[in-house]
Amino acid sequence: MFVAPAYAQESTSSSELQTELEIDVHEETAFPPFDSSTYVSQLVWLAITFGLFYLFLKKVVLPRIEGILEVRSSRISQDLDQAARLKEEADASVAAYEQELADARAKATIIGQQARDGAKAEAEAQRKQVEATLDSRLVEAEARIALIKDAAMRDVDQIAEETADLIVQELVGVKAEKAAVSAAVKAARG
Amino acid sequence: MANDPIHQFQISKLIPLEVGGYDLSFTNASLFMVATVVVTSAFLYLTTSSRSLVPSRLQSVSEMSYEFVANMLRDAAGTAGMRFFPLVFSLFMFVLMANMLGMFPYFFTVTSQIIVTFALAVLVVGTVLVYGFYKHGFKFLKLFVPSGVPMAVLPMVVVIELISFLSRPISLSVRLFANMLAGHITLKVFAGFIVSLSSLGALGVAGAILPLIMTVAITGLEFLVSFLQAYVFAVLACMYLNDAVHPGH
């Protein structure tokens, strides 16, 4: 609707003489996409340009992009493989470390046990030795005590005889016979 | 002719050329075909020239378009269909770039010519026919005889299949052509409203704001349509090529 005035202006500005020519032009250019006179040229140029385009893409561009993508995907899978391998190695190292740690711990326990056993055995031996010496000294002491006791007992007989003799002399006023006194003492001691 | 929405589709001879009675002039249409091919080829060639393991932005655009079309074709036609990859990729890139270049003001839109889209559609369907018969021989005709259909309705089904096959090049070409044509005409008409209204004085300038907004919005829409139609063209080409590889339904 708003286009109409512009059209009207243009058509009025064109001279009367060109009317016939204009009609010709309008007929020829009724609707460009359906103007079959341009078809051959368009088809030929489309065939040339699209054909070259197709060949260029097929021979140069597509193999190149395919190559880029292939290199990348193979590189990525390679890197992933390497990462997996490294992870396996790391896992193995961790396992080895833990194995060693466990071994060391077991060894430490054994050494500790051995030291404890050794110390205990030594202490036992020392104790036994001390006990043995103490026993032997006890026996010695007992022997001496017996010796001293025997000596003392012998002295007791003599003292008792002398005491009895004196007591008899004081009470009776006569000197008692020695053999009788010792016999009496012996009898008293039982 | 400033406001004529049809003028943009006018083909003008730049270098007149006539061979054997045929008019093979180098026209503005030819110029933009060359431009489409040169720009696309140069972009794809130059952005991938460094072959970086870690792609630059532009290189990843090329790689993405490659993988986009490759996935499209693989989904539609399987790995056996990948032999048509150069064809589908060329079609997609050519149509996409032709549509996009057409969005520049004063640029000619190659795909707004029915003969161009029809030629591309015939190329696809012709490839399907030639490869189908070459690969499967007369078994390719099974394409028109779906299995598991009762004998009573089979003739009708075959006729329908035949018509649907024959209408493929028409629907494929008209879809792209009509979308580009209608979009550019709409754009031009709304842009023409702005010029016409603003020549009517202050009130007209105020009124021209609405078509201006419309023009901006339709420009955005047209970019979407440009991509979408290239995509649709490529997807349908993939599905038709699938018939050439696997003729049984």
Side-chain angles (χ1 to χ4, degrees):
Chain A
M1 283 191 294
F2 296 102
V3 187
Y7 254 128
Q9 269 185 339
E10 254 180 49
S11 50
T12 45
S13 65
S14 60
S15 67
E16 295 266 348
L17 284 169
Q18 285 182 323
T19 320
E20 217 173 305
L21 207 136
E22 238 185 27
I23 287 165
D24 271 359
V25 168
H26 269 289
E27 263 174 13
E28 206 181 307
T29 64
F31 191 57
F34 295 143
D35 178 6
S36 59
S37 70
T38 65
Y39 283 3
V40 177
S41 156
Q42 288 202 67
L43 284 176
V44 166
W45 283 104
L46 178 69
I48 293 170
T49 52
F50 189 77
L52 289 175
F53 185 58
Y54 176 81
L55 286 178
F56 181 70
L57 289 191
K58 192 179 177 178
K59 298 288 175 207
V60 180
V61 172
L62 293 179
R64 181 190 275 187
I65 298 179
E66 198 184 349
I68 293 172
L69 295 176
E70 243 167 43
V71 164
R72 182 173 309 143
S73 69
S74 73
R75 175 70 188 270
I76 286 171
S77 62
Q78 224 172 30
D79 285 2
L80 283 177
D81 284 354
Q82 199 180 351
R85 217 182 52 239
L86 289 177
K87 190 181 177 300
E88 254 169 41
E89 275 173 24
D91 285 351
S93 310
V94 167
Y97 161 76
E98 277 183 352
Q99 183 61 43
E100 245 165 63
L101 198 66
D103 284 356
R105 222 172 253 154
K107 222 187 231 172
T109 319
I110 290 168
I111 288 170
Q113 193 62 44
Q114 275 175 350
R116 221 175 293 135
D117 288 355
K120 219 184 257 173
E122 207 175 308
E124 188 73 11
Q126 262 176 3
R127 196 174 59 83
K128 276 192 179 142
Q129 208 184 334
V130 168
E131 268 177 6
T133 47
L134 282 177
D135 280 353
S136 70
R137 277 162 76 179
L138 200 63
V139 168
E140 239 171 71
E142 269 171 2
R144 265 172 57 203
I145 286 166
L147 220 67
I148 289 164
K149 202 179 164 187
D150 280 357
M153 279 309 188
R154 241 179 288 127
D155 289 349
V156 164
D157 282 355
Q158 206 181 337
I159 288 162
E161 275 172 30
E162 279 172 7
T163 310
D165 196 21
L166 278 171
I167 290 165
V168 169
Q169 207 169 338
E170 282 291 316
L171 289 173
V172 185
V174 259
K175 202 155 166 39
E177 224 167 304
K178 206 163 177 160
V181 172
S182 69
V185 167
K186 263 187 189 129
R189 282 186 66 194
Chain B
M1 298 291 270
N3 279 339
D4 181 5
I6 304 300
H7 180 249
Q8 58 182 320
F9 306 111
Q10 199 73 55
I11 289 178
S12 53
K13 294 174 189 175
L14 300 178
I15 305 168
L17 186 71
E18 211 173 298
V19 179
Y22 292 109
D23 179 18
L24 305 183
S25 304
F26 189 83
T27 61
N28 52 348
S30 320
L31 176 67
F32 278 93
M33 287 176 198
V34 171
T36 301
V37 166
V38 167
V39 169
T40 315
S41 304
F43 179 83
L44 291 172
Y45 185 77
L46 295 177
T47 55
T48 54
S49 59
S50 66
R51 298 164 189 259
S52 319
L53 198 63
V54 178
S56 63
R57 283 185 200 184
L58 291 177
Q59 187 184 324
S60 59
V61 170
S62 292
E63 288 173 10
M64 271 160 62
S65 52
Y66 178 99
E67 288 182 326
F68 180 68
V69 178
N71 288 336
M72 190 196 298
L73 184 58
R74 203 175 291 118
D75 288 348
T79 41
M82 288 310 281
R83 64 170 61 248
F84 298 118
F85 179 64
L87 175 66
V88 177
F89 188 74
S90 310
L91 281 171
F92 176 71
M93 293 309 282
F94 185 84
V95 173
L96 179 67
M97 189 54 79
N99 291 354
M100 286 298 177
L101 282 180
M103 287 308 296
F104 283 92
Y106 296 105
F107 277 28
F108 183 84
T109 313
V110 174
T111 43
S112 67
Q113 300 291 317
I114 181 76
I115 188 68
V116 171
T117 61
F118 188 71
L120 294 176
V122 164
L123 176 65
V124 172
V125 176
T127 307
V128 171
L129 281 174
V130 169
Y131 183 79
F133 277 116
Y134 166 73
K135 184 82 180 175
H136 305 283
F138 280 104
K139 280 184 187 169
F140 180 65
L141 292 173
K142 269 190 192 165
L143 182 63
F144 306 113
V145 189
S147 55
V149 176
M151 281 305 287
V153 288
L154 197 59
M156 215 168 76
V157 172
V158 169
V159 170
I160 292 172
E161 289 283 340
L162 212 60
I163 292 172
S164 95
F165 187 87
L166 291 176
S167 64
R168 276 175 183 182
I170 299 166
S171 69
L172 193 59
S173 58
V174 169
R175 184 180 299 110
L176 177 58
F177 156 71
N179 267 288
M180 299 320 292
L181 185 84
H184 281 79
I185 289 176
T186 316
L187 209 51
K188 187 69 185 261
V189 167
F190 273 98
F193 284 169
I194 304 172
V195 179
S196 307
L197 275 173
S198 54
S199 67
L200 295 178
L203 204 68
V205 171
I209 291 173
L210 197 66
L212 177 64
I213 294 170
M214 283 300 288
T215 307
V216 172
I218 290 172
T219 306
L221 182 72
E222 278 310 302
F223 274 109
L224 178 71
V225 169
S226 294
F227 170 76
L228 216 59
Q229 286 306 317
Y231 173 69
V232 167
F233 194 93
V235 163
L236 288 173
C238 289
M239 290 169 72
Y240 297 162
L241 288 167
N242 180 39
D243 286 341
V245 188
H246 313 108
H249 272 268

